[in-house]
């Protein structure tokens, strides 16, 4: 399929169920809320070795948070509820509790509760107090700038991880510019995060490796340096740079909406901008239950 | 079906009314309701001797309406777990005693022990209540353990004594020893209170939305703000309206105590 000169492969992104939650981090001002959110979602690009995938979903105005202060909504995804709970506790404990003036709240209404402030309260060494307000339990832990308030638990729901787009471009500049435009469009979609640096990953992986110890290794079929070397390649001679955008979302429809927005942004720029082809990563369709077919995510009429 | 019980004449002795719950009466026909026996003094009395039983509004929910001067009826709504009960008129002691759910609305005064040992639900008194509201039964250590008690009028002495959880909101004045021996929970008071507020409180919050008493010597000022907690509490209390609306725009002083016991309680004094 061609759109404005860009070839859209007849393939699909294969995504997996994950456990997900949203946290709302507030602070005295937006700057400090962002410091905490950046720290809490750091080193959270891939569940392969980070424990979870996390990112900033959006900034919140003072009127949108439970305590009327500016805040940041972050999403966290992990392979199991247990692992997610561990990551929440570690990341909030080390990155939010520690950050001046912050407080942390659950950002979802319903789901299986996972501990948020429930164990962090013990940092209070006996001085902590609990408060039930409007049916919700909060913990108040005395800290050097006043007190740290954390909601007792946060609901965990089933999310979708691993939606993706592969951008095949004529060079580094074109690939980066295309990826940046797509990321900017996708970040406007609610309920999703793009967990990699700047939303973009250059080390797309395939399952398995020639080395028994590695569960994943470089996606050689999309490496332009191996176009004429690898036994199987997906690339033509004019592709000199491939970048991937990975999407985690709270629901299948959210991931689809983000992919659609990204695709639309790429198509709008046209093939002259350098992104010549858009593809997606999958494992043959046997591993992940969610399949996002690019041809079914066609950009809206006005964007063509 | 739902019923409306209209008191024909006040009983000569006190009546234990805890059997009158919306769920129980909703399962009975009007005739069966009329034949109910209520403890009256040392004997019993047929409900029909005291009340006219009329059909109530049926909106799919269990609801029971009582009308008349029920000040000789004790334990109205005691043990209420579901449904709505509305009383048009004053009631006796122990209204809402140990209730765990549902809504009990009293369009009049209630006497002592209103909301005593309450565990959940919503108890609203348009008038005033007597002593020991939201407290523990005499000899027991557990006061109110959940739910919400709203008093539009005044409250007597020992309000929220031994309270452990839940919310008490009083629009009028309160007597001596409010929140005495409080274990936890929230008491918000708009009017004046008597002496010894927070006497022996271990944890919990007492908010003086109106005139505040001088904290006792066993309370100490807290040298930092708690803006997050204050906003959460003030925004939640705003739903009660009146003196509790607009609290979130005020700053608050905090006092910790009672240091004679655990000292994790707090008095909140907005200014």
């Amino acid at each position: 399929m061609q759109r404005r000169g860009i070839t859209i492969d007849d393939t699909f992104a294969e995504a997996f169920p994950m456990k997900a939650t949203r946290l709302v981090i507030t602070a005295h001002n937006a700057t400090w809320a962002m410091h905490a959110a950046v720290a809490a979602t750091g080193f959270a690009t891939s569940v392969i070795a980070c424990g979870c995938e996390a990112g900033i979903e959006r900034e919140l105005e003072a009127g949108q948070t439970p305590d009327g202060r500016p805040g940041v909504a972050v999403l966290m995804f992990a392979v199991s509820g247990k692992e997610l709970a561990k990551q929440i506790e570690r990341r909030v404990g080390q990155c939010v509790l520690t950050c001046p003036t912050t407080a942390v709240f659950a950002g979802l209404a319903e789901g299986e509760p996972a501990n948020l402030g429930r164990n962090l309260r013990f940092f209070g060494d006996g001085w902590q107090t609990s408060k039930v307000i409007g049916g919700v339990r909060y913990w108040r832990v005395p800290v050097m700038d006043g007190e740290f308030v954390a909601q007792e638990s946060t609901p965990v729901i089933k999310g979708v991880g691993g939606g993706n787009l592969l951008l095949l471009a004529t060079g580094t500049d074109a690939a980066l510019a295309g990826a940046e435009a797509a990321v900017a469009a996708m970040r406007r979609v609610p309920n999703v995060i793009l967990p990699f640096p700047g939303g973009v990953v250059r080390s797309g992986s395939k399952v398995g490796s020639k080395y028994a110890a590695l569960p994943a290794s470089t996606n050689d079929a999309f490496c332009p340096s191996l176009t004429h070397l690898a036994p199987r390649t997906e690339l033509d001679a004019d592709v000199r740079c491939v970048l991937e955008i990975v999407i985690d979302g709270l629901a299948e429809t959210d991931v689809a909406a983000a992919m659609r927005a990204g695709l639309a942004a790429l198509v709008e720029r046209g093939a002259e901008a350098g992104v010549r082809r858009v593809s997606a990563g999958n494992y043959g369709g046997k591993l992940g239950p969610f399949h996002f077919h690019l041809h079914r995510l066609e950009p809206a009429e006005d964007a063509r | 079906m739902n019923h409306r019980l209209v008191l024909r004449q006040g009983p000569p002795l006190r009546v234990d009314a805890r059997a009158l719950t919306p769920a129980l009466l909703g399962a009975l026909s009007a005739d069966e309701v009329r034949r109910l026996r209520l403890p009256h003094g040392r004997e019993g009395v047929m409900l029909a001797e005291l009340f006219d039983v009329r059909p109530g509004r049926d909106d799919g929910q269990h609801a029971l309406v009582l009308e008349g001067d029920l000040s000789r009826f004790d334990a109205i709504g005691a043990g209420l777990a579901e449904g709505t009960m509305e009383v048009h008129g004053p009631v006796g002691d122990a209204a809402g005693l140990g209730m765990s759910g549902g809504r009990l609305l009293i369009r009049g005064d209630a006497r002592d022990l209103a909301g005593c040992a309450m565990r959940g639900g919503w108890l609203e008194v348009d008038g005033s209540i007597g002593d020991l509201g939201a407290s523990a039964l005499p000899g027991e250590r557990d006061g109110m353990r959940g739910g919400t008690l709203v008093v539009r009028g005044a409250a007597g002495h020992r309000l929220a004594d031994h309270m452990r959880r839940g919310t008490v909101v009083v629009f009028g004045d309160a007597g001596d020893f409010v929140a005495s021996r409080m274990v936890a929970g929230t008491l918000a008071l708009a009017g004046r209170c008597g002496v010894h507020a927070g006497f022996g409180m271990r944890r919990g919050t007492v908010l003086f939305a109106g005139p505040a008493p001088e904290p006792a010597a066993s309370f100490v000022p807290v040298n930092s703000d708690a803006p997050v907690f204050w906003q959460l509490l003030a925004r939640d209390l705003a739903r009660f309206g009146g003196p509790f609306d607009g609290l979130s725009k005020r700053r608050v002083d905090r006092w910790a105590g009672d240091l004679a016991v655990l000292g994790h309680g707090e008095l909140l004094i907005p200014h």
Side-chain angles (χ1 to χ4, degrees), chain B residues 54 90 117 140 150 190 223 241 263 270:
Chain B
R54 299 175 187 168
E140 288 201 348
V150 183
N223 288 348

Side-chain angles (χ1 to χ4, degrees), chain A residues 23-30 33 58-73 103-107 138 151, chain B residues 228 231-232 235:
Chain A
L23 301 180
V24 172
I25 299 168
T26 68
H28 191 65
N29 57 40
R58 63 180 191 274
E59 292 185 56
L60 300 169
E61 304 282 330
Q64 297 172 297
T65 60
D67 60 2
R69 304 190 301 169
V72 177
V104 62
F105 304 95
Y138 301 93
Q151 197 165 326
Chain B
V228 176
Q231 286 301 318
L232 294 173
R235 284 156 181 251

Side-chain angles (χ1 to χ4, degrees), chain A residues 176-261:
Chain A
L176 282 177
E180 286 167 18
V183 164
M186 294 161 89
R187 287 218 161 121
R188 285 195 285 272
V189 176
N191 305 334
V192 298
I193 54 161
L194 314 176
F196 282 94
V200 185
V201 49
R202 59 101 174 259
S203 60
S205 58
K206 67 175 183 291
V207 175
S209 161
K210 71 182 286 188
Y211 306 106
L214 292 184
S217 60
T218 192
N219 195 356
D220 40 27
F222 283 93
C223 289
S225 59
L226 303 178
T227 302
H228 299 298
L229 296 173
R232 193 179 71 89
T233 186
E234 291 277 344
L235 307 182
D236 304 325
D238 65 335
V239 174
R240 298 181 67 84
C241 181
V242 179
L243 293 176
E244 181 175 352
I245 300 174
V246 172
I247 308 110
D248 295 336
L250 293 182
E252 192 177 359
T253 49
D254 298 323
V255 175
M259 287 178 66
R260 183 175 288 119

Side-chain angles (χ1 to χ4, degrees), chain A residues 26 62-63 65-69 101-103 105 126-135 137-138 140 145-147 149, chain B residues 165-167 184-187 203-205 224-233 235-236 239 254 262-264 266 268:
Chain A
T26 68
T65 60
D67 60 2
R69 304 190 301 169
T101 75
T102 58
F105 304 95
W127 297 101
Q128 72 275 14
T129 54
S130 118
K131 201 76 211 165
V132 178
I133 300 172
R137 183 178 296 281
Y138 301 93
R140 304 167 60 191
D145 74 347
E147 66 179 23
V149 176
Chain B
R165 207 174 294 138
T167 305
T186 305
L187 166 63
R203 290 181 293 265
T205 304
S224 84
D225 296 330
V228 176
F229 160 68
W230 172 241
Q231 286 301 318
L232 294 173
L233 181 68
R235 284 156 181 251
D236 181 58
R239 66 195 154 112
R254 292 194 296 149
L262 188 64
H264 287 184
E266 62 188 346
L268 299 182

Side-chain angles (χ1 to χ4, degrees), chain B residues 147-215:
Chain B
T148 306
L149 168 63
V150 183
V151 180
R152 304 275 170 196
H157 302 309
R158 291 277 182 187
L159 174 67
D161 182 50
H162 269 315
M163 178 178 179
R164 184 172 278 274
R165 207 174 294 138
T167 305
V168 175
V169 176
V170 178
F171 284 68
D173 298 340
D176 299 338
F177 289 100
V178 294
S180 57
R181 304 181 289 183
M182 185 185 227
V183 180
T186 305
L187 166 63
L189 183 64
R192 293 177 185 285
C193 72
V195 295
H196 303 306
F199 175 86
M201 73 187 284
R202 296 174 62 79
R203 290 181 293 265
T205 304
V206 182
L207 164 68
F208 297 100
E214 187 70 27

